[in-house]
Amino acid sequence: MLTHEQINFVIKDLNYRGIVAEEIQEELIDHVCSAIETKINNGKNFIEAYHEVLKTFGHTGGLREAQHQTIQIENQKTKIMIKNYLTIAWRNLRKQGIYSFINITGLAIGVAACLVIVLFIVDELSFDAYNTKADRIYRVNEEIKFGGNHIKLCQNGAPFASAAQQDYPEIEATVRFRSHGSYLVRPANATQNIKEWNVIWTDSTFFKIFSVNVLEGNPNTALREPASVVISKKMAQKYFPGKSALGESLILDNKYNAKVTAVYEDIPPSSHFHFDIMIAQVGDWPAAKEAQSVSFLSENFNTYLLLKEGADAKLLEKKMPGFLKKYFGPQIASALGSDFTMDKFLENGNKWEITFTPLLNIHLHSDLKGELESNGSITYVYLFGIIAVFILVIACINFMNLSTARSSNRAKEVGVRKVMGSLRSHLMRQFLTESILVTLFSFMVALGIAYLFLPVFNNLSLKHLQLPWASSSFYFVLITGVLMIGLLAGLYPSFFLSAFKPVNVLKGHVSLGMKSGLIRSALVVFQFVISISLIVGAISVNRQLNFIQNKKLGFEKNQVIIVHDAYALRPFPNVQTFKNEVLKINHIEKGTISGPLPVEGPDSYRNNNTYWKGGNQPTPNNLVGLQSWDVDADYTATMGMKIKTGRGFSTEFISDSSAVILNETAIPMFSLGENPIGQKISTFDGNRPDGSPDPDKIRSWTIIGIIENFHFSTMKEGITPLGLFLNKSDGNVSFKFNSANTKEVVQSIEKVWKQLAPAQPFQYSFLDEDFRKMYSSEQRLSQIFFVFAGLAIIIACLGLFALTAFTAEQRTKEIGIRKVLGASVRSIVVLLSKEFGKLIIIAFVIAAPLAWLGVDWWLKSYTYKTEIGVAVYLAAGAVAFVIAWLTMGYQSIRAASSDPVKSLRAE
């Protein structure tokens, strides 16, 4: 063997003689060094051997002429060689059909998964970007903390918008939204109502701030008239098919006659709101009058600001403490006493803060009380982004490993090609062409997989994602990906195999590289760390959902049917008649009329107000934010709630109209002591003309019972103070039934409904289903986790298959010798599998603490959560190990079962 000094001498001398073309130089150095070694072996010293070799080439002139001719020939043969590369590549793919299929499939699955996730991330990041003024639009939030109350909401009082625009010239325009839930809607000439969810009350400045195209009508005047509405294109086609909707009338909730003054383009899916009907907040309708309120303390309006060009939102936000003192302080002082000041309020550790959220940040960075719709989460964007990167990296690594494992079988092919005159550059191009060709096939298959999988993913994620076939940048990214992955995957085989010396290869002396196996082992560990972590995540999310579904809630959610929109039966005596008639049906046990429900949703009409212990003066320290639910006397019994102390409501006690039932959480908040029954709580019962609470108008309720705590929000939140009040509220009628034939129960109730309200839609749901809907995002997360965890395992096992094949090929002769010496198939399978089995165990040891950190971080968002024990981690590790062992077992058994005569015949 030549020393490094001798090889460097040859390189420098050839450079001096003008051999500078890189592809020629590399080949020539190989040939010269091999020839020198042969002559040295025959007794020559290095210098003598080198000069004799140069002589055979014709010294400097001959070397330069050979270089010139080779370059000319190469240029002439480029097109022919490219065709030849493609032909040979295609033949090799067909020759190694099974491995080519695995190689292409593995990479295709990884690319398809990555592509789908990238589409999801791009869609999430593009929310509200359709607005041309998006960079200048901000939503106003409030955070309030006093006593034991802590409220974070994205709503404000009705006068906030006008006062802010009046005081701060950097505000160009404002708009408010006020939601009153769903509405029953019908054209004026129709009798049958349809329930519409996406209805909002808003200001005439909506079209000035948001980029929503108006198709009919004048956007500047559309919402300025009382009793006017603007509707989406979808609503126009639904209620006024085949004609213009402009000037037509819609009847809302059977009592409001609204004139259509504009039709606008449907709001894009990538918006944090999707209003189909917008009602003008002017006039004398009750909701419109609320918009004219001067109270800053009734936070019911979502307020948006459009800042002027160049205005700084951060600087404006810093001015909000002064705004609070000017407008909020006097109204609070009017209620709590003249000695109240915002400065004292804040000095005592309380908090009242106004902040702004940029429009483009709302969807992914906001989860406050009063959101117009459920938002996404930047956490999930990061999480899926990491999963996409990991899956793609795993797929690319597997692709490279399998390519290397199979290409090592072509060592003799390389030797023969070199003997026949092939240059190293030719061989490198050949391997790179094959790699790029396989990558191209993989990307084509990936597009097909992504196309087929997108509907499934859309169903899981509630998206409307599509492959952007019309986008030129999409194809640019695909082509770039093919070239990058193809080159990266083909570089190692091309450099590695093309460097073989023909003499050694044809004698069978081939070093297959990476002898230590450190890189391969690290890749296997990396793959299974990710796979096991994803499995743990999927199991943990599923266990938390099961915990939520099976936890004692404090009310009975099974076999309770809720009939919605009971107000359609008005007047109220008709609602009571409906309840009484349904109670006559077999299997109907109990019934109740109420607005609020023990589950969150658009049909749960809840209210929140501030109370204090009766007999005391209200102060910031004794005020309690209380959920105030208007129910009838049968509410607790129908919902299966337990009265812990005292009694429930009764129609026999007229005084119950001034009574309240509190939950357990409220007792210490009001400082009611051990015997709260008979004590009172109070609140303001009216406002002054300036909008501040009137301290002379106070109403009190006597506590007659304490109800056992029950969950009325998600498990992410603790149980807050709640009071039940005996008032008429006809939003829903709920019935407890006892029958396995649910369909018969529904039909019987619907029959009664149609008798009383034949023109009104019969809307119902089941309480347990509504409860599950509260956790729909977690359910989707669990399903998506399982999908991607499965993909990660599949891809990782393909990589393991590749490495097992690679190991088996390296040890073919060893296996043959062991079999000749009497080794059993079982012992050989164990021999080949135990190395990778150890790696998976190492991966489990690394993945377990990482997964624990991730799961613990996710569960911190829940006040009530399950325990994720060791069994979950062991189960995830066992699943990964069994799947991996089955993968290894196939290749190991195949190698162990081979005929030793065939593997040793070359010896």
Side-chain angles (χ1 to χ4, degrees), residues 345 397 708 781:
F345 177 80
I397 289 171
E708 190 175 273
L781 176 64

Side-chain angles (χ1 to χ4, degrees), residues 19 88 141 174 282-283 323 402 416 436 445 454 466 478 511 521:
I19 307 303
I88 294 173
N141 314 309
T174 63
V282 291
F323 186 85
L402 193 52
V416 172
I436 292 174
V445 174
L454 265 179
Q466 293 180 337
L478 290 179
S511 174
S521 300

Side-chain angles (χ1 to χ4, degrees), residues 9 14 33 65 69 81 95 150 154 187 210 221 226 232 351 359 387 401 457 496 630 745 788 809 832 860:
F9 175 84
L14 290 177
C33 289
E65 181 63 25
Q69 292 178 359
M81 291 300 290
K95 181 180 178 182
H150 191 188
C154 56
F210 296 100
T221 60
S232 67
K351 185 176 186 179
L359 177 66
I387 290 174
N401 284 341
F457 186 81
F496 170 56
D630 293 336
V745 171
F788 288 119
E809 288 175 5
L832 294 175
K860 282 181 179 177

Side-chain angles (χ1 to χ4, degrees), residues 20 77 79 237 245 559 583 635 689 718 743:
V20 294
K77 291 184 176 180
K79 294 182 179 180
Q237 294 172 343
Q559 290 197 312
L583 286 172
Y635 188 81
K743 184 178 180 180

Side-chain angles (χ1 to χ4, degrees), residues 509-530:
H509 302 151
V510 182
S511 174
L512 294 179
M514 293 198 298
K515 290 181 179 179
S516 67
L518 181 61
I519 296 177
R520 296 196 301 273
S521 300
L523 295 179
V524 171
V525 171
F526 173 77
Q527 292 167 346
F528 277 89
V529 164
I530 302 305

Side-chain angles (χ1 to χ4, degrees), residues 799-821:
L800 196 59
F801 184 92
L803 293 179
T804 309
F806 186 69
T807 301
E809 288 175 5
Q810 285 184 309
R811 305 175 73 172
T812 299
K813 291 183 174 59
E814 176 192 344
I815 294 170
I817 293 171
R818 287 180 178 274
K819 291 195 72 175
V820 169
L821 294 178

